[in-house]
Amino acid sequence: MDPARDGPSAELLSIGSELLAGETVDTNAAHLGSSLAGLGIPLRSVRLLPDDRAAIAAAFAEARTRVPLVVATGGLGPTHDDLTREGLADTLGEELRPDLELEAVLRDRFAAYGGTMPESNLRQALRIPSAEALPNPIGSAPGWWVDRDGCVAVLMPGVPSEMRRMWTEQVVPRLADRFALRPVRSRSVKTFGIGESALAELLGGLLESPGDGIEAGIYAHDDGVHLRFWTRGDAAILDAPVARATALIGEHVYGTDDDDLADVTLAALARHRVRSLSSIESGTDGTLLAILAEAARIEGSARYVGGLLKEGGETSAVAPGADATLHMDLGPSDERGRSRIEVTLSGVIVLDPLQTRVHGSGAQRLRRAAFAALDQVRRALP
């Protein structure tokens, strides 16, 4: 395989029997997939593997025939079932040997915390000759960078905080040096109140032919449907399809790129001379309060001063003082999956009750309902 000819692509091996048993959620895969995409390295597959030496070795061997970059997380701990090092060593036909420098780093780490290093941790100081150790400043497991036979294998800890720091500080700079990366530039148009299929029909040929060197896709989120354009070329070429899409979609668009629906709504309130906003909600478990509390403090936006929950017709406390109060009541779902959301905005304008179909269940349903309430306020206060 010639990476320069084929272009870099990657496969991810998520290693740990706890992942297959459902005891741990593999958040590392989502983080790495997003980061790789931004670097211009498409992630071709993600495999979950048990703590089995033969299975790990076979997965490395297969992946190395398909892609120039194999990333593995997990299995670098000190216990008998941490076998990622052994699996890659078997694949490459190399022998694990003690690395005295790594051993010294480990002993110093334990000494700094006033403890004696268990002998089992010496397994983390083993290295094959072709592996370059990757420092782990917040954990005991060093990573590996192995560049051999035209393929790079990266081994990182499974602990998310350790993996993310190692990825950012150690791996990404090496990837930039090793491969001719063409980072992906992207822009988004964010909508609410229109479904994926309706949006695709409205956009027509823009989705299939957004422009030379540009690709497009539609993605559903709790805060609406996002239209994304991306390119490996100059980011400026994305401005034209974004402008065209915004014009075609019209009132359903609430923002672009980093815009947030809560922030956009608070900015609309500020334009109507509302300096501060409180909320009272029922049937939502405080979801609206949480979304507004997390909104960024954008200069010129109304300030959110807090919210209250209303249960059984009574509020949990006296509402804090504010220029306006957003009232939201979410009813139960009917047999068709529709929930009635009643929204009023005291002090500014009384909004007509909103009835909408809220898909999903549990927390997802509540978030979508809260965003629907915010979108109604946004539309009523242009």
Side-chain angles (χ1 to χ4, degrees):
M1 176 176 294
D2 182 357
R5 181 196 66 199
D6 298 331
S9 58
E11 292 191 15
L12 172 63
L13 307 180
S14 296
I15 300 170
S17 296
E18 70 278 5
L19 298 171
L20 292 166
E23 298 172 0
T24 302
V25 177
D26 185 13
T27 59
N28 289 337
H31 180 82
L32 290 171
S34 175
S35 180
L36 284 164
L39 294 171
I41 305 175
L43 183 59
R44 299 301 185 191
S45 71
V46 178
R47 291 187 62 182
L48 299 182
L49 297 170
D51 297 308
D52 180 281
R53 183 168 178 166
I56 295 169
F60 273 119
E62 294 168 10
R64 282 168 50 82
T65 66
R66 292 189 294 260
V67 293
L69 174 63
V70 183
V71 180
T73 61
L76 299 181
T79 60
H80 71 283
D81 58 348
D82 291 308
L83 298 167
T84 301
R85 290 175 293 261
E86 288 79 359
L88 182 57
D90 291 346
T91 298
L92 299 178
E94 297 188 34
E95 181 182 351
L96 284 163
R97 302 170 183 172
D99 184 318
L100 297 182
E101 291 185 7
L102 287 179
E103 181 179 334
V105 170
L106 284 172
R107 293 192 184 280
D108 289 345
R109 176 180 177 79
F110 278 87
Y113 289 97
T116 301
M117 186 184 78
E119 289 302 301
S120 61
N121 281 89
L122 288 175
R123 298 182 72 245
Q124 296 178 303
L126 297 175
R127 184 174 59 82
I128 59 175
S130 64
E132 176 189 354
L134 301 178
N136 182 355
I138 57 174
S140 63
W144 281 7
W145 172 277
V146 182
D147 190 348
R148 218 192 82 172
D149 306 324
C151 179
V152 172
V154 175
L155 275 55
M156 294 185 292
V159 178
S161 59
E162 297 178 27
M163 186 281 296
R164 294 187 182 200
R165 183 162 177 179
M166 186 178 292
W167 175 258
T168 300
E169 295 182 356
Q170 303 296 329
V171 180
V172 171
R174 287 173 171 81
L175 291 175
D177 290 338
R178 174 62 172 79
F179 298 104
L181 300 182
R182 298 176 60 201
V184 173
R185 317 295 184 185
S186 67
R187 292 203 60 192
S188 296
V189 178
K190 299 182 176 180
T191 75
F192 200 93
I194 185 171
E196 292 176 84
S197 57
L199 181 58
E201 185 175 344
L202 187 62
L203 292 170
L206 182 59
L207 271 181
E208 297 181 1
S209 303
D212 291 339
I214 302 174
E215 297 183 62
I218 294 177
Y219 308 93
H221 298 269
D222 291 347
D223 63 346
V225 177
H226 299 182
L227 169 64
R228 182 170 175 259
F229 297 101
W230 65 94
T231 182
R232 294 176 186 267
D234 186 349
I237 68 173
L238 300 176
D239 293 344
V242 166
R244 184 179 170 193
T246 300
L248 288 170
I249 301 168
E251 65 177 0
H252 297 300
V253 175
Y254 67 81
T256 60
D257 304 325
D258 294 330
D259 288 338
D260 175 89
L261 184 50
D263 294 328
V264 169
T265 302
L266 291 172
L269 286 166
R271 291 194 294 271
H272 285 256
R273 299 183 181 180
V274 175
R275 295 167 298 176
S276 58
L277 175 74
S278 63
S279 64
I280 299 176
E281 60 189 295
S282 66
T284 62
D285 290 339
T287 302
L288 178 63
L289 185 159
I291 290 172
L292 285 169
E294 292 175 358
R297 303 293 183 180
I298 297 177
E299 185 177 355
S301 295
R303 182 171 59 92
Y304 181 61
V305 298
L308 304 170
L309 305 183
K310 183 173 65 175
E311 302 297 340
E314 299 294 332
T315 56
S316 59
V318 178
D323 292 344
T325 300
L326 175 59
H327 300 256
M328 174 186 172
D329 296 299
L330 174 63
S333 297
D334 61 20
E335 65 281 358
R336 298 174 57 195
R338 298 181 68 90
S339 296
R340 184 175 179 82
I341 305 172
E342 294 189 4
V343 183
T344 60
L345 193 61
S346 63
V348 181
I349 186 173
V350 177
L351 305 178
D352 294 332
L354 169 68
Q355 180 168 307
T356 185
R357 182 185 298 276
V358 181
H359 300 286
S361 60
Q364 183 184 60
R365 169 180 172 270
L366 300 182
R367 282 180 56 81
R368 289 179 175 178
F371 282 123
L374 291 170
D375 186 63
Q376 190 185 29
V377 174
R378 173 189 71 86
R379 290 171 185 259
L381 302 171

